[in-house]
Amino acid sequence: MKILLLGRNGQLGWELQRSLAPLGEVVALASQAQGNPNQWCGDLANLEGLRQTVREVAPDLVVNAAAYTAVDKAQTDTQQAYAVNALAPALLAEETQRLGAWLMHYSTDYVFNGSGEQPWRESDACAPLSVYGASKHQGEREIARNPKHLILRTSWVYAARGSNFAKTMLRLGAERDELRVIDDQIGAPTGAELLADVSALALRQAIAQPALAGLYHCAASGQTSWHGYAQFVLQEARGLGMQIHVRPERILPIKSADYAVAAPRPLNSRLDCSRIQELFSINLPFWQLAVRRMLEEIAVNHRL
Ligand SMILES: NC(=O)c1ccc[n+]([C@@H]2O[C@H](COP(=O)([O-])OP(=O)(O)OC[C@H]3O[C@@H](n4cnc5c(N)ncnc54)[C@H](OP(=O)(O)O)[C@@H]3O)[C@@H](O)[C@H]2O)c1
C-alpha cells in the first residue's frame, strides 16, 4: 500500500511517520519542499501544487495531519485558515475519490460551542465559537465527500516533539513564582502517539471493512481542566528531578473570562469516545499515563 502523509513535522505527523510505516510505503511531506527529492508540493495552501502531488504519487491512502492550528491567529488570518483547513480537504476528498483511495483526517473539539457538561457525541450539533473551529468543521464536511474516509475528532494534543500546553507549563514553571491557569475549560489531554497508533489500527480495519468509514471521537480517557493538567505536569516533572521553580500552591486557578485571548474556547471539550472503542475494539487509556511517559522522555533527554 502506498501512503501519502501530509504535515509530517507536526506533533501528530511525526508520530504517524512511525505508526503508518508497517502499513506500507510512506511518502511523508511537509509544507516546505526542502529535502524532498521529487520537489512534491506538501503545502496545503497551494491547491494546484497539492493536486499535482496527489496525482503523481497516486497513493492508496492519504493521511492529512497538516492543519492551520494557530487558533488565535486564525481569527484574523481567516483566508489562510480556510485554505488549509477546508479548501485543501475538499481537494483531497476529490482527488482521493478519483483514485479510489482512502482518506484519513483529524478534527477538533473546537467544532462544539462547549455548552453543558455532558461529553459530546459524534451526532451532536456543531456550533464553533472561533474561525479555527468553523474552518475545521467545514473541513470535516469536505472530507466526508469521499465515502472512504476516517475522521478522528480529538482534543488538547501534545507530544514530546512540538509546541503544546504541557511544554509551555514546564518552561513557565521553571521561570516564574506564580502561574495563573484556566480551570473552567474541561477536556482530555491526548497524546499524538496514541492518536497515531489508533489511526493505524482503525485504518487497517476500515480498509478491510469499509462500512466502518466515518467520523469518530478519539481522546484519552478521563478529564481535567487546564489548571489540573498544569498541576499534574509540574508535580510529575518535579518528581522526575526537573527544575521547577513555582510552588504547587502558587499555581492559581482562573476563569476563562479573566484571560484575554482573540478566539473564544469551548468550556466543555469532553468527547464521548465510546463509539470508536466499541466498533474498532480499541482501548483509550487515561490521559495521565501518556503525559507521565512524555515527561519521562523529556527528563531523560535533559539529562543526556
Ligand atoms: N494541537 C491540538 O491541541 C489539537 C486539538 C484538537 C485537534 N487537533 C487537530 O489534530 C491535527 C494535528 O494537530 P497537531 O497538534 O499535530 O498540529 P501541529 O503540531 O500544529 O502541526 C500542524 C502541522 O500542519 C502543518 N501546516 C500548517 N500549515 C500548512 C500548510 N499550508 N501546508 C502544509 N502543512 C501545513 C505544519 O507544518 P509547518 O510547520 O511546516 O508549516 C505542522 O507540521 C490537526 O488536524 C489539528 O486541527 C489538534
Side-chain angles (χ1 to χ4, degrees):
M1 180 159 68
K2 194 165 189 185
I3 304 166
L4 174 59
L5 169 64
L6 300 164
R8 61 169 283 168
N9 290 330
Q11 300 188 91
L12 178 57
W14 185 254
E15 290 300 328
L16 281 164
Q17 290 185 56
R18 170 188 58 74
S19 68
L20 294 174
L23 298 187
E25 177 199 349
V26 181
V27 175
L29 302 182
S31 58
Q32 306 294 320
Q34 290 117 338
N36 156 7
N38 298 296
Q39 292 295 302
W40 279 321
C41 170
D43 179 1
L44 270 66
N46 178 350
L47 295 180
E48 277 321 301
L50 189 62
R51 190 186 300 281
Q52 192 66 28
T53 297
V54 179
R55 291 188 179 184
E56 285 179 20
V57 176
D60 305 292
L61 161 66
V62 173
V63 179
N64 181 28
Y68 188 106
T69 54
V71 176
D72 290 312
K73 197 169 161 216
Q75 291 296 100
T76 46
D77 196 12
T78 308
Q79 204 177 337
Q80 180 76 358
Y82 270 90
V84 176
N85 291 346
L87 300 184
L91 182 143
L92 293 175
E94 186 187 326
E95 290 298 320
T96 48
Q97 194 171 10
R98 206 176 136 266
L99 289 168
W102 275 83
L103 179 55
M104 172 117 215
H105 184 74
Y106 302 89
S107 190
T108 167
D109 51 309
Y110 285 18
V111 298
F112 294 115
N113 66 10
S115 63
E117 296 194 346
Q118 291 301 312
W120 296 99
R121 298 173 70 102
E122 289 86 346
S123 53
D124 287 333
C126 294
L129 301 173
S130 62
V131 169
Y132 168 73
S135 67
K136 293 293 292 181
H137 184 222
Q138 188 180 326
E140 292 178 352
R141 287 172 292 171
E142 302 292 0
I143 293 287
R145 290 175 191 269
N146 177 355
K148 288 160 78 172
H149 71 274
L150 278 180
I151 302 171
L152 301 187
R153 255 192 212 144
T154 190
S155 64
W156 299 17
V157 178
Y158 65 86
R161 182 187 153 111
S163 306
N164 54 63
F165 175 85
K167 289 173 75 179
T168 302
M169 287 303 113
L170 288 178
R171 180 170 49 79
L172 296 180
E175 291 168 6
R176 299 196 183 169
D177 292 335
E178 185 176 284
L179 295 179
R180 296 156 64 81
V181 190
I182 288 169
D183 82 334
D184 59 357
Q185 294 174 23
I186 308 295
T190 302
E193 273 185 357
L194 175 67
L195 279 174
D197 291 346
V198 168
S199 300
L201 282 169
L203 275 166
R204 195 181 275 268
Q205 293 182 63
I207 290 169
Q209 215 182 319
L212 288 169
L215 181 149
Y216 297 90
H217 286 177
C218 182
S221 293
Q223 63 180 51
T224 186
S225 66
W226 293 111
H227 178 258
Y229 184 16
Q231 281 186 313
F232 180 82
V233 164
L234 294 170
Q235 183 186 327
E236 291 291 318
R238 183 176 280 113
L240 288 163
M242 294 166 80
Q243 289 301 316
I244 302 298
H245 183 67
V246 66
R247 305 298 317 162
E249 63 277 12
R250 301 292 299 278
I251 307 171
L252 306 178
I254 59 166
K255 301 289 168 215
S256 302
D258 297 327
Y259 187 77
V261 280
R265 269 72 168 169
L267 295 180
N268 175 18
S269 278
R270 300 168 181 89
L271 297 176
D272 180 336
C273 301
S274 46
R275 195 162 168 265
I276 194 168
Q277 297 193 85
E278 281 161 23
L279 292 185
F280 290 86
S281 303
I282 281 170
N283 176 51
L284 294 169
F286 280 89
W287 65 268
Q288 292 93 333
L289 279 176
V291 172
R292 192 174 290 127
R293 190 178 135 88
M294 172 185 69
L295 294 171
E296 283 182 27
E297 209 174 310
I298 293 174
V300 166
N301 287 336
H302 272 225
R303 276 186 228 118
L304 290 177

